[in-house]
Amino acid sequence: MLYLHSTRLTTTKLGNRLCTNVLMGRKRSTKAAYVVFIGRTRGVFTSWSECEAQIHGYPGNSQKGFESAAEARTAWKEFRRSTQWTPSLTPLEIPDRLPAQDLLTKNIDLFDPKEHQASSRKRNFEAMNTPSPLEPASEPARYKKSNQNATTREIAKPNKSPELKLEPSDPTYLQKGELANGEEPASVKLTSEQQAVVDMALTGANIFLTGAAGSGKTVTLREMIRRLQKRYQSKNNSDHPCVQVVAPTGIAALPLDGKTTFSFAGWNPDSLQQPMERLLANVRKSTREAVDRLRVLIIEEISMVENQFLERLNRLLQSILMSNAPFGGIQVILVGDFHQLPPVKPFENCIECGEMMVHDKVIAPVWDKLKLRFVKLEQIHRQKDTGFQGVLNKIRNGQVLENSEWDELERTKELPPQAVATRLMSLVNDVTRFNNRELGRLNTQVRSWKAFDVSNKKRTEDADKFDPRCQMIAQKCQEFKDALMKYHRLPTDLNLKVGAKVVLLSNLSPKSGLVNGSQGEVVGFADTTTWTSKDDEGTYQRECADQFTTMNSFWRPVVRFANGQTKTIPHVVQSSTKISGEDRYHVARTQIPLTLAWALSIHKSQGMTLQYAEVSSRGLFETGQLYVGLSRVTSLEGLIVTGFSREKTVMDPDVIEFYEKTAWEDLSRSDVSPSTESKTEAAAPNEWWKGDYVPLFVGKAHPAQVKYPQLPPFKTEICDSDEEDSQDEQG
Ligand SMILES: Nc1ncnc2c1ncn2[C@@H]1O[C@H](COP(=O)(O)OP(=O)(O)OP(=O)(O)O)[C@@H](O)[C@H]1O
């Protein structure tokens, strides 16, 4: 059996600094080589100083000295073989720990692991000392045994996180780990109208599901997905699900385990400048495989998907499935509310020639072909106050509000002392500036956490160690890390002070009402040196967490939430698997799930439920933004409204007309779920091959002039290498 010699550092708590004085005072080792089994970077080192750098202050560290480098290498090999350990983290520059000058808050209720993750072992918390503010605590901290004696068994424990099919540079999946962190949304009982929609989906109908903000579209969709997945369970494949959710933004796709529309199609924004013909000639192998298995395509936030993009998706699926049926004959469910946010750009690229054209239609022509069943949820759940619901509905319908209604909206509200009215703004730069300015105004000490990002190939093979594989893998890893920086919802740099207004970005404790979107204020920082890791935390998760703590500190912000609860906020590891060709990569960001919340962008707030918000007319430039802003809050008492012209309506008249003219299904009818309209038979799953396939694209004509000639079937060429295009995807 391999013997592990642990230095067993006596860690002295000097605030947040681990003082390794026992180690420092000990005789220096004079061995020829050292193996670091547990440390910042593991492996063989030929000098004590290098070895020491890896273990100094590293919790549960373990090393052993050897008389020769050969012996050390053998021991290292044996260790790796016996533990099946593969290098998972890149070596890091470890900054010096910050001096402990944090304010510890008295009598705070620390993070409760039982609430956070049902199966997790209870964390051991030491009673917190409460030294005078800005003074280091002087009691020595002891790691709990389970942490200090990290064993080889623990290191070898395979990462049990589910493998997810990912596309390179897909922001959606970079955030995927969120739900894997025990963040199950609190369950609700579906209303009869919501249930009717779920039942309708199970008949195989193509559906457009809409409803006012807060009417439970997302809740309904979740149940729909669950039921559909169950139906197709046997045909499922971990890489290519039969039920695929796609959304135009990562933030919308994330909570539903979806992909971005671009990622699903294997395109990037530049791809849209190419004629459709060329896109179809270069379909990626992974896209083709995914579409081949697909039975149901769910497009969330459909109002933000450009019409030409939807048409492109239609033709992509037709081409791959070689069927003229809309979307190649699979079931399509469109979800969204056109009263909320439209596509980000007012223009789009023509599908035939790639030229820029104005986005001037509410819905895409392909909607007709889909023979959709139009369903609208009527009951609003986010707001209980019917008066407020009425005001929101008026804005939604483009009606001018009465003066008394404006008075009610603009009335000065008395918010609870700890409440944070988040200012909802249009421009991200304004949001950042506003938050930084407010943070700068606080006279308390700033504490910072840098996100720990990691990307590495799973299962290193011998060929990976040599060029060109070696270089290619390094480049891929860098690409994934760059994408984390660019897209991840958790901030790269989190700067907080006592007094900072924050919003929670994960479902910390749904039972206690601490969920994604909960608002609060930082009231102190807690030293979490004595926290032990969770039993069910995978090795990879634990390593990320260790590295994050080593890079930053053991201090974690303590937040008093608007509902009166005070919690210490632990870091979260949001990890995902990404696939490039045959290779799989681990990609993860570790960070504290908070963001400054004096202000938030309206786009970011879409789908969120906030208790307190301030919406001002300044900078609102899209129809629907006022509606999205106002409809985020649960009650009028939590809403501050300033600066709006009382006369103007701010809803797109085309949207209003579309909603007025559409014949919505009556969801209260008991016979509503069986398909009342004849759903396209050609669209039934597995029957696409029955019809003759006619490719629906020609040359460079503008859509208005397109005639669809009867051409022989178009053969889609498969681009075997995902690598060629992967750099483009950064666009
Ligand atoms: N049947 C229900 N019973 C109780 N609460 C519900 C129900 N359906 C939805 N809710 C609650 O209403 C709120 C809004 O739900 P949801 O986010 O699904 O609405 P939405 O229509 O997707 O909103 P938006 O368009 O603003 O994103 C959530 O807090 C949700 O838990």
Side-chain angles (χ1 to χ4, degrees):
M1 202 177 88
L2 186 71
Y3 168 67
L4 290 184
H5 168 74
S6 170
T7 57
R8 290 191 190 256
L9 303 182
T10 301
T11 52
T12 304
K13 181 168 148 192
L14 197 62
N16 70 333
R17 185 170 46 204
L18 288 172
C19 175
T20 53
N21 49 7
V22 173
L23 176 72
M24 308 287 270
R26 215 190 256 173
K27 66 175 175 55
R28 289 282 182 270
S29 271
T30 51
K31 303 282 183 186
Y34 303 86
V35 175
V36 175
F37 300 104
I38 306 173
R40 292 184 183 86
T41 306
R42 305 172 192 202
V44 179
F45 296 86
T46 49
S47 73
W48 171 245
S49 60
E50 280 176 289
C51 172
E52 190 188 24
Q54 312 315 319
I55 57 171
H56 183 117
Y58 194 89
N61 70 75
S62 174
Q63 60 81 28
K64 181 171 165 55
F66 293 86
E67 299 305 332
S68 73
E71 266 181 67
R73 275 198 297 274
T74 309
W76 175 235
K77 259 195 207 156
E78 169 59 14
F79 170 75
R80 286 185 59 174
R81 195 195 53 74
S82 63
T83 62
Q84 295 167 14
W85 183 82
T86 50
S88 56
L89 302 177
T90 45
L92 281 172
E93 292 267 315
I94 309 296
D96 283 336
R97 292 178 184 281
L98 297 168
Q101 291 184 333
D102 296 80
L103 175 68
L104 289 176
T105 320
K106 276 185 186 173
N107 304 325
I108 56 168
D109 177 19
L110 285 172
F111 165 70
D112 180 352
K114 271 206 288 203
E115 281 184 354
H116 182 57
Q117 201 152 50
S119 59
S120 76
R121 183 183 52 195
K122 185 149 176 59
R123 286 168 191 268
N124 294 307
F125 297 117
E126 261 185 8
M128 287 180 71
N129 301 308
T130 50
S132 57
L134 307 184
E135 259 188 27
S138 54
E139 280 295 301
R142 280 174 297 280
Y143 278 96
K144 291 290 167 197
K145 238 179 162 188
S146 58
N147 200 23
Q148 191 174 25
N149 293 343
T151 63
T152 52
R153 184 188 53 77
E154 282 170 333
I155 295 164
K157 203 163 97 183
N159 183 4
K160 291 278 190 329
S161 59
E163 294 212 336
L164 306 161
K165 164 70 181 162
L166 303 165
E167 294 291 338
S169 312
D170 178 4
T172 302
Y173 282 100
L174 298 178
Q175 302 164 345
K176 169 65 185 70
E178 183 163 330
L179 293 175
N181 286 327
E183 299 186 24
E184 281 308 312
S187 63
V188 293
K189 187 170 175 348
L190 295 193
T191 58
S192 56
E193 62 170 1
Q194 291 171 332
Q195 188 59 53
V197 182
V198 174
D199 293 344
M200 192 187 288
L202 292 171
T203 67
N206 293 336
I207 296 174
F208 168 50
L209 166 62
T210 189
S215 58
K217 297 182 290 299
T218 312
V219 163
T220 309
L221 189 54
R222 275 186 202 286
E223 178 61 8
M224 199 188 274
I225 295 166
R226 194 184 69 77
R227 298 282 301 278
L228 287 167
Q229 277 173 343
K230 210 168 159 198
R231 161 173 293 183
Y232 291 113
Q233 212 167 22
S234 59
K235 301 192 179 75
N236 233 337
N237 165 312
S238 59
D239 287 347
H240 303 303
C242 292
V243 181
Q244 178 68 62
V245 181
V246 299
T249 64
I251 284 179
L254 153 77
L256 298 163
D257 273 2
K259 283 185 171 190
T260 59
T261 43
F262 274 107
S263 164
F264 170 70
W267 300 329
N268 62 65
D270 288 346
S271 311
L272 307 190
Q273 290 164 20
Q274 298 174 31
M276 192 66 212
E277 192 173 354
R278 199 175 309 153
L279 288 181
L280 292 184
N282 290 292
V283 177
R284 288 183 175 196
K285 187 181 171 199
S286 55
T287 304
R288 188 184 173 82
E289 285 171 357
V291 171
D292 269 337
R293 295 198 67 81
L294 201 59
R295 293 291 180 276
V296 188
L297 179 66
I298 298 174
I299 308 183
E300 165 69 318
E301 297 293 5
I302 186 68
S303 69
M304 295 174 74
V305 179
E306 295 164 358
N307 288 343
Q308 297 285 304
F309 193 98
L310 199 66
E311 186 59 40
R312 276 187 183 85
L313 271 188
N314 173 35
R315 295 201 197 171
L316 176 72
L317 267 65
Q318 286 180 324
S319 171
I320 295 173
L321 297 173
M322 296 185 72
S323 164
N324 276 339
F327 286 84
I330 58 151
Q331 184 181 6
V332 176
I333 296 171
L334 309 175
V335 186
D337 178 15
F338 284 87
H339 295 88
Q340 299 188 42
L341 300 180
V344 180
K345 295 172 293 174
F347 50 82
E348 49 191 338
N349 297 90
C350 166
I351 188 167
E352 307 302 342
C353 60
E355 291 293 319
M356 216 77 104
M357 58 184 278
V358 175
H359 175 93
D360 62 348
K361 291 266 190 316
V362 174
I363 58 166
V366 69
W367 280 48
D368 276 347
K369 296 179 200 145
L370 277 168
K371 296 207 174 2
L372 292 160
R373 297 183 70 179
F374 289 83
V375 293
K376 178 152 63 83
L377 298 176
E378 299 291 350
Q379 194 180 337
I380 293 171
H381 298 275
R382 186 174 287 129
Q383 296 86 17
K384 305 287 176 223
D385 167 4
T386 48
F388 185 33
Q389 282 182 2
V391 168
L392 291 176
N393 273 337
K394 273 184 139 181
I395 297 171
R396 175 181 175 80
N397 296 330
Q399 290 165 276
V400 176
L401 298 186
E402 305 283 333
N403 266 337
S404 58
E405 288 167 327
W406 272 116
D407 290 345
E408 232 345 64
L409 280 179
E410 294 181 346
R411 165 173 67 81
T412 311
K413 314 286 181 355
E414 286 243 339
L415 303 188
Q418 72 273 30
V420 189
T422 296
R423 188 178 282 209
L424 300 178
M425 301 169 114
S426 295
L427 302 173
V428 176
N429 284 349
D430 285 351
V431 169
T432 312
R433 240 192 323 268
F434 190 81
N435 280 332
N436 288 342
R437 195 189 69 198
E438 293 300 312
L439 189 72
R441 284 185 174 162
L442 297 173
N443 283 330
T444 45
Q445 188 202 356
V446 68
R447 284 217 152 257
S448 305
W449 291 265
K450 200 165 192 50
F452 171 63
D453 292 343
V454 68
S455 166
N456 59 283
K457 183 174 172 288
K458 287 181 174 182
R459 286 186 294 275
T460 309
E461 290 135 31
D462 282 347
D464 296 344
K465 294 176 191 143
F466 306 101
D467 279 340
R469 290 273 302 152
C470 180
Q471 257 192 40
M472 188 276 289
I473 290 167
Q475 195 183 332
K476 269 283 158 217
C477 288
Q478 192 55 48
E479 265 176 38
F480 292 142
K481 278 173 83 168
D482 291 348
L484 279 174
M485 296 282 279
K486 208 165 152 188
Y487 298 116
H488 206 285
R489 205 159 66 113
L490 300 184
T492 304
D493 291 291
L494 177 67
N495 298 314
L496 297 177
K497 291 179 177 179
V498 170
K501 310 293 184 199
V502 287
V503 66
L504 192 59
L505 297 175
S506 71
N507 292 328
L508 177 65
S509 170
K511 268 193 258 159
S512 323
L514 300 184
V515 293
N516 188 0
S518 295
Q519 294 158 285
E521 179 177 325
V522 176
V523 292
F525 297 98
D527 182 351
T528 61
T529 309
T530 53
W531 287 21
T532 55
S533 55
K534 288 176 290 203
D535 262 354
D536 54 357
E537 208 170 48
T539 308
Y540 190 80
Q541 250 80 7
R542 213 174 305 172
E543 284 188 37
C544 287
D546 283 354
Q547 296 280 18
F548 174 77
T549 299
T550 311
M551 258 172 84
N552 294 285
S553 68
F554 282 93
W555 296 95
R556 298 290 177 266
V558 181
V559 176
R560 187 184 306 128
F561 289 93
N563 68 2
Q565 299 220 24
T566 302
K567 293 278 179 194
T568 302
I569 312 297
H571 55 257
V572 293
V573 182
Q574 299 198 343
S575 62
S576 63
T577 297
K578 288 173 77 61
I579 294 176
S580 173
E582 297 302 309
D583 299 333
R584 283 161 186 267
Y585 292 79
H586 265 308
V587 180
R589 166 161 284 196
T590 308
Q591 181 56 287
I592 292 161
L594 290 175
T595 189
L596 290 176
W598 281 283
L600 276 180
S601 74
I602 293 225
H603 264 98
K604 212 172 210 169
S605 78
Q606 193 168 12
M608 262 189 184
T609 299
L610 298 172
Q611 282 156 299
Y612 309 102
E614 181 180 345
V615 184
S616 107
S617 62
R618 192 181 155 269
L620 293 189
F621 53 84
E622 274 170 359
T623 60
Q625 285 197 339
L626 173 65
Y627 177 64
V628 173
L630 299 186
S631 60
R632 291 311 95 200
V633 292
T634 47
S635 92
L636 192 59
E637 294 312 309
L639 183 63
I640 298 168
V641 182
T642 51
F644 285 96
S645 151
R646 294 189 169 199
E647 289 75 38
K648 256 183 30 193
T649 55
V650 281
M651 194 50 71
D652 183 345
D654 288 345
V655 169
I656 295 168
E657 190 189 344
F658 166 66
Y659 273 72
E660 277 173 1
K661 291 197 170 161
T662 299
W664 301 102
E665 300 236 8
D666 179 1
L667 293 174
S668 65
R669 273 177 29 208
S670 56
D671 62 338
V672 76
S673 25
S675 182
T676 48
E677 302 220 8
S678 64
K679 188 176 129 11
T680 45
E681 279 310 311
N686 296 328
E687 295 190 8
W688 51 266
W689 44 268
K690 283 188 177 166
D692 282 340
Y693 170 62
V694 181
L696 295 179
F697 64 86
V698 286
K700 290 200 166 196
H702 199 269
Q705 303 136 25
V706 173
K707 301 267 184 308
Y708 297 130
Q710 298 286 314
L711 298 176
F714 176 78
K715 185 172 175 307
T716 302
E717 282 173 29
I718 305 163
C719 176
D720 270 321
S721 164
D722 279 355
E723 313 307 332
E724 283 171 24
D725 295 27
S726 57
Q727 276 188 326
D728 291 346
E729 278 207 295
Q730 293 298 318

